[in-house]
């Protein structure tokens, strides 16, 4: 019998796992499932050394075949459903997750690291078993797969068939499957890489040439490139006309004039990273919350577990709190900000004295950061994920993701995983509205206090004497009376993209007030929406001029066929062909830049609102060379001009004099994924 290697159970991190057995209606089902004779949780002895010898800490036990995937499930990132029987020879890692769970998001970098290290031997399969109703649709999961650039197969296990077959109890849960199809062991919680990597390495070493190192065919989710990508938060500057947008999917922060939508500044290269520097030289990782303090813009750099500061006059980005590493459980008592690990900071709130409240989603707490003293420390919550009110040190929160401050200094926060809006006042927490007892009570229901229902809200704002909520998974904007706790749905409630008096949103994640209006980060619609609270009418902010801050990625140049032209002056004809139902956005500028090594004309550049196509450019050809045309356009659906898609590409045409042609045709065809 081959050696059976075990995984380490998450004894140190299990308190950070959301357990489905907390939900009374499913507890009995899960208890039945986990009674199956499955391999033990992974033990440390099998994770090191290994070789061909059995570990003393991992005794022999029955070799159980991994349960096969049921028929009829919907799959993402592959062209056809997978069967475990077709993956014999591969190490298979099943990741049971749900996309609203911060602990599940925390292990994505671990999975990426394992996939890179064992790219020939390992297949990771995400098993998405949705906690919230809104998370159960394949379309919603596809959005999240694109948002986090997940590049392995994902199966929608919305009815918990795979979950029950494997006896899962908590998000996240990892199951490892041997190349012969038998179960190796399971792990619950975070810290996956350190535990699982040695186990996979042992299996690969033990199996040697028996490992299948062939490439798994993928069909990755693609979305049209948009001006904004999954914006998570917005923040209006109370002292200027600036609106800051966390362009989360692009790993950038964009500052626009909120009256015109014109882009004024962009921070971050657009490549995920953790780099200080000026403007486009800096790098972020999934930025979320924002806070203005004069000419300083603070950024909750969620994926980097850091708080960054942008000096707006100079454009310099610096790290003011966090090390770039995720903190370990249990959360520390705080200390010098530059040397303290943070936990997925999701939102920021500037206090009158200049300190910041931090919604520390990953440790289920609110922290405080004092930029002047350089100190960061926990303020509310003991770090356990639950719903318990009382003195701030003993309170228990559940993934706080949005912050706002009332006129009297009360701090309101969106407690996402408990689907509630809670508050901090006079040293204690309390419920304002929503679920009050557990993490599995949610819905869309107006009412008062504990009688109202939300579904994973992420954004809150104080405006007009009321608390406004971006009720994310309900695709709605809600208003709460801070005295009575009465909740009213003002706009939305169905997923979609519709402006006007009956608007639709798609997972709005952030909300900010200015100019008598509410500015909303409509995350899955890649847009910023504007709600007039007095009428309930919504319009979409048209963001213009982004092409000035973006350049085509290396390797994006498209080589066209060589053209033999007559010497002298010829006509360069630039045109764009759109898919049926699409057109240039008439409200946003498009730019066309021509450079040539084939003649003496030099450079042509033009930026125009709704230009007439084709564009004709005279070019004097005197020698063999290359004509390069950079096209940067904003386009949209013919009947939905507010959905802004962005296309940027360089087209290169080799030109050879001595022919008869009097024109050079450069046509770019826009192709939707």
């Amino acid at each position: 019998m081959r050696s059976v290697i075990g995984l380490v159970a998450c004894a140190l991190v299990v308190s950070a796992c959301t357990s489905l057995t907390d939900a009374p209606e499913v507890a009995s089902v899960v208890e039945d499932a986990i009674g199956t004779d499955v391999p033990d949780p992974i033990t440390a002895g099998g994770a090191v050394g290994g070789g061909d010898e059995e570990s003393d800490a991992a005794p022999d036990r029955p070799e159980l075949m991994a349960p096969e995937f049921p028929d009829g499930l919907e799959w993402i990132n592959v062209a056809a459903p997978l069967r475990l029987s077709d993956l014999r020879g591969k190490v298979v890692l099943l990741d049971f997750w749900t996309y609203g769970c911060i602990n599940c998001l925390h292990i994505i970098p671990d999975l990426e690291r394992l996939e890179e290290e064992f790219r020939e031997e390992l297949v990771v399969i995400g098993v998405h078993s949705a906690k919230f109703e809104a998370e159960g649709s394949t379309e919603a999961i596809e959005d999240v797969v694109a948002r986090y650039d997940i590049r392995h197969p994902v199966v929608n296990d919305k009815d918990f068939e795979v979950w029950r077959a494997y006896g899962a109890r908590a998000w996240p849960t990892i199951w490892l499957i041997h190349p012969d199809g038998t179960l190796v062991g399971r792990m619950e919680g975070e810290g996956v890489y350190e535990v699982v990597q040695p186990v996979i390495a042992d299996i690969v070493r033990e199996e040697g040439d028996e490992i299948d190192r062939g490439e798994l065919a993928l069909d990755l989710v693609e979305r049209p490139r948009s001006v904004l990508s999954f914006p998570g938060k917005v923040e209006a500057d109370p002292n200027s006309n600036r609106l800051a947008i966390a362009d989360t999917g692009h790993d950038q922060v964009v500052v626009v004039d909120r009256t015109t939508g014109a882009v004024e500044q962009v921070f971050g290269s657009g490549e995920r990273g953790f780099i200080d520097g000026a403007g486009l030289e800096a790098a972020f990782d999934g930025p979320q919350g924002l806070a203005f303090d004069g000419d300083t813009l603070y950024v909750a750099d969620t994926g980097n577990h850091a708080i960054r500061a942008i000096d707006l006059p100079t454009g310099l980005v610096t790290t003011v709190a966090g090390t770039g590493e995720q903190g370990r459980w249990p959360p520390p008592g705080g200390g010098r900000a530059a040397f303290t690990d943070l936990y997925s900071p999701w939102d920021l709130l500037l206090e009158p004295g200049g300190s910041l409240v931090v919604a520390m989603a990953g440790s289920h707490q609110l922290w405080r950061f004092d930029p002047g003293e350089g100190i960061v420390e926990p303020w509310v919550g003991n770090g356990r994920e639950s719903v318990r009110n009382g003195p701030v040190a003993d309170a228990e929160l559940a993934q706080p993701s949005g912050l706002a401050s009332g006129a009297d200094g009360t701090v309101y926060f969106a407690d996402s995983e408990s689907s509630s809006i809670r508050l901090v006042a006079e040293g204690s927490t309390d419920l304002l509205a929503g679920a009050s007892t557990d993490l599995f009570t949610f819905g869309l229901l107006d009412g008062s206090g504990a009688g109202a229902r939300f579904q994973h809200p992420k954004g809150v704002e104080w405006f007009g004497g009321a608390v406004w909520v971006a009720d994310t998974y309900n695709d709605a904007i809600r208003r709460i009376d801070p005295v009575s706790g009465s909740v009213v749905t003002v706009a939305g409630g169905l997923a979609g993209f519709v402006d006007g008096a009956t608007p639709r949103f798609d997972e709005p994640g952030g909300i900010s007030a200015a100019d008598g209006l509410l500015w909303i980060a409509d995350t899955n619609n890649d847009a910023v929406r504007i709600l007039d609270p007095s009428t309930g009418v919504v319009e979409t902010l048209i963001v213009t001029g982004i092409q000035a801050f973006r350049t085509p990625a290396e390797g994006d140049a498209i080589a066209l066929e060589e053209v033999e032209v007559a010497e002298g002056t010829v006509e360069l004809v630039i045109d764009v062909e759109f898919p049926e139902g699409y057109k240039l956005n008439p409200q946003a500028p498009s730019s066309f830049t021509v450079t040539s090594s084939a003649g003496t004309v030099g450079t042509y550049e033009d930026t125009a609102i709704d230009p007439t196509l084709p564009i004709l450019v005279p070019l004097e050809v005197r020698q063999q060379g290359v004509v390069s045309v950079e096209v940067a356009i904003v386009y949209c659906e013919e009947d939905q001009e507010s959905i802004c898609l962005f296309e940027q590409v360089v087209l290169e045409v080799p030109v050879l004099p001595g022919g008869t042609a009097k024109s050079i045709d450069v046509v770019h065809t826009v192709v939707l994924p």
Side-chain angles (χ1 to χ4, degrees):
M1 178 183 295
R2 65 172 177 81
S3 62
V4 180
I5 304 171
L7 299 180
V8 175
C10 62
L12 297 180
V13 296
V14 72
S15 59
C17 307
T18 301
S19 174
L20 188 57
T21 55
D22 293 338
E25 66 273 17
V26 297
S28 62
V29 174
V30 175
E31 287 168 1
D32 290 343
I34 64 176
T36 306
D37 182 19
V38 297
D40 300 332
I42 291 179
T43 54
V48 292
D52 292 328
E53 297 181 6
E54 293 184 8
S55 165
D56 292 338
D60 288 345
R61 58 199 164 191
E63 295 185 4
L64 301 177
M65 296 300 295
E68 187 57 88
F69 294 116
D71 294 330
L73 300 183
E74 295 180 324
W75 286 78
I76 300 167
N77 277 346
V78 285
L82 296 181
R83 305 285 295 175
L84 287 174
S85 57
D86 295 331
L87 297 176
R88 295 288 190 268
K90 294 284 190 185
V91 180
V92 178
L93 186 155
L94 302 184
D95 169 31
F96 288 85
W97 67 301
T98 185
Y99 71 73
C101 168
I102 192 69
N103 311 107
C104 298
L105 302 184
H106 281 167
I107 72 168
I108 290 176
D110 283 4
L111 299 178
E112 291 175 345
R113 190 175 174 188
L114 290 170
E115 288 176 290
E116 174 62 25
E117 189 168 340
F118 300 103
R119 58 182 177 271
E120 293 183 340
E121 301 91 355
L122 175 67
V123 173
V124 174
I125 298 176
V127 182
H128 191 275
S129 308
K131 170 185 172 180
F132 290 98
E133 180 182 355
E135 295 175 329
S137 78
T138 299
E139 292 79 8
I141 302 169
E142 285 177 340
D143 280 338
V144 169
V145 165
R147 187 188 313 175
Y148 293 104
D149 194 27
I150 294 171
R151 306 180 73 81
H152 55 247
V154 176
V155 60
N156 184 358
D157 183 37
K158 63 181 179 180
D159 295 322
F160 287 79
E161 295 178 76
V162 186
W163 176 285
R164 284 192 292 267
Y166 282 84
R169 302 176 298 182
W171 296 280
T173 290
I174 297 299
W175 264 106
L176 205 60
I177 301 173
H178 193 274
D180 65 10
T182 58
L183 294 169
V184 174
R186 71 178 183 272
M187 173 186 174
E188 296 170 337
E190 300 181 23
V192 168
Y193 178 84
E194 291 80 358
V195 173
V196 174
Q197 190 277 345
V199 179
I200 297 176
D202 278 352
I203 293 173
V204 170
R205 181 168 52 250
E206 182 178 288
E207 296 301 311
D209 293 340
E210 298 301 314
I211 294 286
D212 175 6
R213 290 178 168 80
E215 185 176 353
L216 179 68
L218 297 175
D219 184 15
L220 299 177
V221 169
E222 292 185 74
R223 288 164 50 103
R225 190 180 181 193
S226 49
V227 172
L228 301 175
S229 176
F230 299 109
K233 298 287 185 184
V234 289
E235 184 70 11
D237 184 358
N239 301 314
S240 75
N241 215 32
R242 294 181 291 211
L243 181 74
I245 305 168
D247 192 7
T248 310
H250 284 140
D251 300 303
Q252 292 180 316
V253 175
V254 177
V255 178
V256 305
D257 182 311
R258 62 177 179 264
T259 301
T260 65
V263 177
E264 296 179 342
Q265 295 175 287
V266 175
F267 304 95
S269 64
E271 296 293 327
R272 184 174 63 182
F274 187 36
I275 302 172
D276 286 343
L280 299 176
E281 297 174 0
F284 298 89
D285 185 355
Q288 290 283 346
L290 306 158
F292 282 101
D293 185 7
D295 281 335
T296 299
L297 176 62
Y298 290 104
V299 182
D301 192 7
T302 307
N304 280 323
H305 309 285
I307 300 172
R308 318 288 290 280
I310 301 173
D311 182 74
L312 294 170
T314 65
L316 184 64
V317 179
T318 58
T319 301
V320 292
T323 64
E325 298 294 328
Q326 180 191 334
R328 296 292 185 175
W329 179 266
R336 296 175 62 187
F339 302 99
T340 301
D341 295 336
L342 306 183
Y343 306 77
S344 295
W346 207 278
D347 202 10
L348 303 173
L349 172 66
L350 183 70
E351 296 185 293
S355 292
L356 291 171
V357 178
V358 184
M360 205 71 76
S363 64
H364 313 291
Q365 295 172 304
L366 303 184
W367 286 40
R368 271 200 170 113
F369 167 54
D370 184 335
E373 297 294 329
I375 298 297
V376 63
E377 57 191 354
W379 173 41
V380 181
N382 59 22
R384 297 187 182 92
E385 183 180 18
S386 186
V387 184
R388 186 171 78 174
N389 289 312
V392 293
D394 298 325
E396 295 179 356
L397 316 184
Q399 202 171 313
S401 303
L403 294 166
S405 180
D408 61 356
T410 297
V411 172
Y412 300 93
F413 61 96
D415 204 42
S416 297
E417 281 293 286
S418 70
S419 294
S420 66
I421 307 302
R422 300 167 70 179
L423 61 87
V424 187
E426 299 179 352
S428 186
T429 67
D430 203 352
L431 175 75
L432 178 62
S436 61
T437 58
D438 59 57
L439 307 183
F440 292 86
T441 300
F442 54 86
L444 176 57
L445 180 66
D446 289 348
S448 294
R453 291 289 175 265
F454 297 87
Q455 188 177 185
H456 200 83
K458 289 184 180 179
V460 288
E461 176 66 306
W462 176 266
F463 172 72
V467 177
W468 294 78
V469 181
D471 191 2
T472 308
Y473 286 2
N474 280 326
D475 309 300
I477 305 301
R478 322 279 293 279
R479 184 184 66 235
I480 310 175
D481 184 302
V483 177
S484 66
S486 177
V487 179
V488 176
T489 301
V490 176
L494 293 173
F497 195 129
V498 178
D499 281 342
T502 56
R504 291 191 179 190
F505 306 90
D506 195 341
E507 294 199 7
I511 184 168
S512 183
D515 313 323
L517 302 169
L518 291 168
W519 306 78
I520 300 158
D522 194 8
T523 304
N524 284 353
N525 279 326
D526 301 320
V528 173
R529 318 289 294 282
I530 308 167
L531 169 64
D532 185 338
S534 65
T535 64
V537 173
V538 170
E539 60 179 305
T540 299
L541 179 69
I542 304 297
V543 176
T544 64
I546 196 69
Q547 67 270 18
F549 298 89
R550 293 190 179 149
T551 56
E554 185 177 351
D556 276 359
I558 299 175
L560 303 182
E561 291 185 5
E562 183 180 74
V563 178
E564 294 186 13
V565 299
E567 291 189 28
T569 301
V570 298
E571 197 166 56
L572 181 65
V573 182
I574 305 171
D575 204 356
V576 181
E577 295 180 347
F578 296 95
E580 184 177 354
Y582 288 82
K583 64 176 183 180
L584 274 177
N585 191 311
Q587 303 179 61
S590 296
S591 67
F592 303 86
T593 304
V594 180
T595 58
S596 173
S597 62
T600 60
V601 169
T603 299
Y604 166 87
E605 183 170 3
D606 184 39
T607 298
I609 302 290
D610 198 18
T612 299
L613 296 174
I615 292 174
L616 308 179
V617 180
L619 181 68
E620 188 174 353
V621 176
R622 296 196 173 188
Q623 62 191 34
Q624 183 176 349
V626 175
V627 176
S628 296
V629 180
E630 180 180 330
V631 178
I633 56 174
V634 177
Y635 67 105
C636 60
E637 296 183 29
E638 290 180 347
D639 58 353
Q640 186 67 273
E641 293 177 355
S642 56
I643 299 181
C644 297
L645 304 174
F646 182 63
E647 183 92 339
Q648 189 169 28
V649 68
V650 174
L651 305 164
E652 296 182 341
V653 185
V655 174
L656 184 65
T660 58
K662 288 289 189 177
S663 66
I664 302 172
D665 295 329
V666 176
V667 181
H668 175 57
T669 301
V670 175
V671 179
L672 296 175

